[in-house]
């Protein structure tokens, strides 16, 4: 969370059109999981998740390009 938020702020300070996302998912056991990531030009630059979970964004800050 902290790394993704910091990267979003750094990108924005440099005029780069990043998007910060927070999302939720349930794992195979039905447990709630949360994740944060930052995208630049549609590519995840911080917070790439290696799991098979599909996180549903509940908060997005920034609109990208």
């Amino acid at each position: 969370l902290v790394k993704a938020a910091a990267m979003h702020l750094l990108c924005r300070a440099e005029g780069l059109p990043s998007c910060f996302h927070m999302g939720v998912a349930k794992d195979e056991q039905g447990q709630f999981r949360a994740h944060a990531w930052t995208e630049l030009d549609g590519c995840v630059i911080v917070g790439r998740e290696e799991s098979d979970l599909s996180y549903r964004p509940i908060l997005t800050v920034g609109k990208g390009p």
Side-chain angles (χ1 to χ4, degrees):
L1 173 65
V2 174
K3 290 179 184 179
M7 180 57 76
H8 173 67
L9 292 175
L10 289 171
C11 286
R12 287 300 188 166
E14 292 297 318
L16 300 171
S18 66
C19 289
F20 170 79
H21 303 278
M22 289 178 59
V24 295
K26 286 190 177 182
D27 65 15
E28 298 80 23
Q29 291 79 34
Q31 297 294 312
F32 173 80
R33 300 289 179 211
H35 185 60
W37 65 98
T38 298
E39 295 180 356
L40 182 61
D41 294 329
C43 297
V44 177
I45 58 172
V46 171
R48 181 176 306 246
E49 184 65 27
E50 298 296 328
S51 76
D52 292 336
L53 298 178
S54 293
Y55 289 92
R56 183 176 66 115
I58 58 171
L59 172 72
T60 297
V61 178
K63 296 182 181 178

